[in-house]
Amino acid sequence: MELYNGERPSVFRLLEKYMRKGLYSILTQGPIPTHIAFILDGNRRFAKKHKLPEGGGHKAGFLALLNVLTYCYELGVKYATIYAFSIDNFRRKPHEVQYVMDLMLEKIEGMIMEESIINAYDICVRFVGNLKLLSEPVKTAADKIMRATANNSKCVLLIAVCYTSTDEIVHAVEESSELNSNEVCNNQELEEANATGSSTVIQTENMESYSGIKLVDLEKNTYINPYPDVLIRTSGETRLSNYLLWQTTNCILYSPYALWPEIGLRHVVWSVINFQRHYSYLEKHKEYLK
């Protein structure tokens, strides 16, 4: 938590910034990931480790998030995605779910502030997932910040809430099926009209099910695009936990042992170095998958 801890004198923060610039100038000699995704794992363990009150780990985690996003955007990463709240998290104790929702509401409202990181880096914020599961206040706040930042174009922050990858895939299939069904219906109507010389209405309920879903349609209808180049999950876990299962075919997975509130610049830098080391292979594999 080097940037947003409110403790270091401004002269030291300025010195840190210039040191980071020197480091970035070296890293940018190689390829930089377009998209880095994060699983914010370890907030509760951090609170237990440091004997913090309930919710203290999530607050420390939010400070770490601001720092990590700053590092990414300073480095030239265009997209960052965070796994903020899984659909499966609704199985936790009701008071814990409510606390996370209240914290999310507080932080969303804070993001709109003039001096926030969102305005400093011209970030477009997008909430993705099954958003109808959000509480009404959080959904309203999310809509507000998405509208407020819609014209920002330098960087994009994707916040996955009420999200699981399986739900995302079901959503993509449903959207693609509906699109293809409409296309088939329109094509049949056109063929009938050409054959009879008149306009004929085809009843969609009498159509046979159409399964010709194209891969490009599925990819277009997933919640999270473009696909991440690097996925970082803290606390040493290597499980994806139902996150970005579709999008991580060609992605570097980095699992530092640090808990999420402990993540720092060195972890971001090391993930970029790993990406650069494997860049040639990743590009070849990407071409192979086309």
Side-chain angles (χ1 to χ4, degrees), residues 94-237:
H95 75 275
E96 185 178 343
V97 173
Q98 186 59 50
Y99 177 82
V100 173
M101 287 293 171
D102 291 343
L103 181 63
M104 195 182 304
L105 177 61
E106 175 189 332
K107 299 310 179 185
I108 292 172
E109 291 174 344
M111 284 182 182
I112 306 176
M113 293 169 54
E114 192 66 31
E115 67 272 16
S116 76
I117 184 177
I118 301 302
N119 294 292
Y121 291 95
D122 194 33
I123 300 170
C124 175
V125 178
R126 300 177 191 164
F127 283 80
V128 294
N130 197 343
L131 301 185
K132 64 178 180 286
L133 298 178
L134 284 172
S135 65
E136 198 57 40
V138 176
K139 190 188 304 180
T140 300
D143 287 338
K144 182 178 179 181
I145 193 170
M146 284 193 288
R147 289 195 304 270
T149 63
N151 295 324
N152 293 355
S153 58
K154 185 176 180 182
C155 306
V156 178
L157 172 61
L158 298 166
I159 303 176
V161 292
C162 300
Y163 171 96
T164 60
S165 196
T166 47
D167 180 75
E168 176 184 40
I169 292 169
V170 169
H171 165 80
V173 170
E174 289 175 345
E175 290 293 313
S176 301
S177 298
E178 183 178 347
L179 174 65
N180 282 312
S181 296
N182 290 337
E183 288 179 354
V184 170
C185 182
N186 291 337
N187 289 337
Q188 288 187 0
E189 288 177 356
L190 183 59
E191 290 173 2
E192 290 286 343
N194 289 336
T196 62
S198 61
S199 177
T200 304
V201 177
I202 305 294
Q203 297 295 325
T204 57
E205 59 265 27
N206 295 329
M207 290 175 54
E208 294 182 1
S209 63
Y210 181 71
S211 60
I213 299 174
K214 299 181 181 66
L215 179 61
V216 66
D217 294 330
L218 280 176
E219 292 177 338
K220 183 172 61 177
N221 286 300
T222 55
Y223 291 132
I224 297 174
N225 272 298
Y227 292 1
D229 302 300
V230 177
L231 172 60
I232 300 176
R233 176 169 187 164
T234 49
S235 75
E237 294 285 351

